[in-house]
Amino acid sequence: MKLGAIEAGGTKFVCAVGNEYGEVFEKTTIPTESPQITMPKVYDFFAGKGVERMGIGSFGPIDLDENGDSYGTIQKTPKIDWVDFPLAGEIRKNLGVPVVVDTDVNVAALSESQWGNAKDADSCLYITVGTGVGAGAVVNGTTLKGLSHPEMGHIVVKRHENDEFTGICPYHGDCLEGMASGPAIEKRWGKAGKDLSGDPAVWEMEAHYLAQALVSYIYILSPERIVMGGGVMQQEHLFGLIRKNVMDMLGGYVSSPKLDADHINEYIVPPGLTNEAGIKGALALAKK
Ligand code: ADP
Ligand code: ZN
């Protein structure tokens, strides 16, 4: 079956034609400007290609209530041109195909669980640590959503004893994203994360925040695998620090062999899919 996939991000829309096996036949990248400029280019790319269904992994917040009138409508985003834009509805109208939409992080979790580093697990949590911090989850092949979509990047975290940084989340100040995103690292230390590789204090503090978040996710969701991606996780040494902090913070409370010193390396892992995770996940979504 020919499927369409869109990875709708804050800086670019990646559009692709592929199939239910995650194979990508053709792909293009369109800059994210206003909907009036960007969307006609999206419709042009897909026109006449015989796509039967469309999957979209989108930046958010976005309405995911399949039974509501505003399914797939962008909500209160800082990208004001896109506020209230009915992304799924307009695509359905212009291309005449059913559209399935989910958050970018849920789609990444779906992709990892179908084709990436969580394909042997029944549930998986995907967290990105980049410009923002966000996480999505898949349980038995289905992404997690409800009232809205999860906002796991904005949980409360306990401050590190040496940290006086006030945080940069416009809504909460010192929530997880406010303390641990790429821009938070840059603001706190006066340099971008990639230029701080050799400074252990930076990464010890970063691991303190991210490990607290993982411990909360483990307690609440009990995922069988945690995949960590995004620009900040390019610091590969961070994985070891996070795994150690997670084990210390759990204090042996959750009994699972997956969480012991011999197996934690296979529990908290980098992504298995790099460039095409978003697009492949959107294809997986489209086939549902
Ligand atoms: P986005 O979240 O916008 O999709 P990324 O996942 O690439 O994009 O995240 C960008 C953030 O990651 C920036 O704040 C950047 O400083 C940070 N970052 C990128 N590369 C590295 C690196 N090698 N080490 C630490 N931080 C990095
Ligand atoms: Zn916040």
Side-chain angles (χ1 to χ4, degrees):
M1 195 197 297
K2 247 194 194 175
L3 301 172
I6 302 176
E7 191 184 343
T11 54
K12 59 184 197 290
F13 271 51
V14 183
C15 302
V17 177
N19 66 14
E20 65 269 43
Y21 307 110
E23 291 166 336
V24 176
F25 307 135
E26 196 183 341
K27 193 165 84 167
T28 194
T29 297
I30 298 164
T32 308
E33 296 176 71
S34 66
Q36 292 71 22
I37 297 174
T38 300
M39 293 312 294
K41 297 179 184 168
V42 172
Y43 308 141
D44 277 354
F45 171 76
F46 286 107
K49 299 219 159 106
V51 160
E52 290 174 58
R53 300 173 60 80
M54 179 77 67
I56 309 175
S58 179
F59 69 92
I62 185 163
D63 189 322
L64 296 182
D65 177 4
E66 289 164 45
N67 302 316
D69 293 337
S70 48
Y71 176 64
T73 294
I74 309 271
Q75 298 168 322
K76 286 199 187 64
T77 163
K79 301 189 76 63
I80 33 184
D81 288 338
W82 292 84
V83 173
D84 293 335
F85 181 71
L87 182 64
E90 285 297 307
I91 291 174
R92 192 184 322 111
K93 209 162 72 190
N94 275 278
L95 298 173
V97 294
V99 176
V100 190
V101 64
D102 212 327
T103 61
D104 42 12
V105 277
N106 263 347
V107 165
L110 191 60
S111 210
E112 286 294 330
S113 69
Q114 295 238 338
W115 293 298
N117 271 349
K119 62 173 185 268
D120 56 338
D122 286 336
S123 58
C124 141
L125 182 119
Y126 177 92
I127 173 169
T128 178
V129 189
T131 306
V133 177
V138 169
V139 182
N140 294 328
T142 304
T143 58
L144 193 69
K145 45 198 183 287
L147 179 68
S148 171
H149 42 77
E151 285 287 356
M152 293 188 245
H154 294 269
I155 60 170
V156 177
V157 282
K158 215 191 280 178
R159 186 167 280 277
H160 187 281
E161 57 186 358
N162 300 330
D163 195 7
E164 286 174 5
F165 183 56
T166 49
I168 57 159
C169 175
Y171 294 94
H172 318 108
D174 60 0
C175 67
L176 175 66
E177 178 173 296
M179 299 303 266
S181 63
I185 295 172
E186 186 162 351
K187 185 98 190 279
R188 181 192 286 108
W189 301 96
K191 264 197 253 181
K194 68 173 175 4
D195 300 322
L196 289 163
S197 306
D199 188 339
V202 172
W203 307 106
E204 191 247 322
M205 194 175 282
E206 184 67 8
H208 164 86
Y209 290 116
L210 293 174
Q212 279 186 63
L214 298 202
V215 166
S216 294
Y217 307 151
I218 291 167
Y219 285 146
I220 295 170
L221 295 171
S222 211
E224 288 181 18
R225 176 97 14 99
I226 296 179
V227 179
M228 303 191 76
V232 173
M233 295 311 300
Q234 303 283 328
Q235 298 287 328
E236 286 173 29
H237 54 110
L238 199 45
F239 278 93
L241 293 172
I242 292 169
R243 290 174 186 132
K244 180 182 179 304
N245 273 273
V246 165
M247 288 190 62
D248 290 350
M249 288 175 193
L250 287 171
Y253 183 65
V254 179
S255 311
S256 167
K258 290 184 177 155
L259 295 174
D260 69 25
D262 292 335
H263 297 96
I264 191 97
N265 291 358
E266 297 145 36
Y267 181 68
I268 298 170
V269 296
L273 304 163
T274 44
N275 295 333
E276 297 203 315
I279 280 300
K280 281 176 180 284
L283 289 170
L285 198 65
K287 80 177 179 189
K288 291 204 172 291

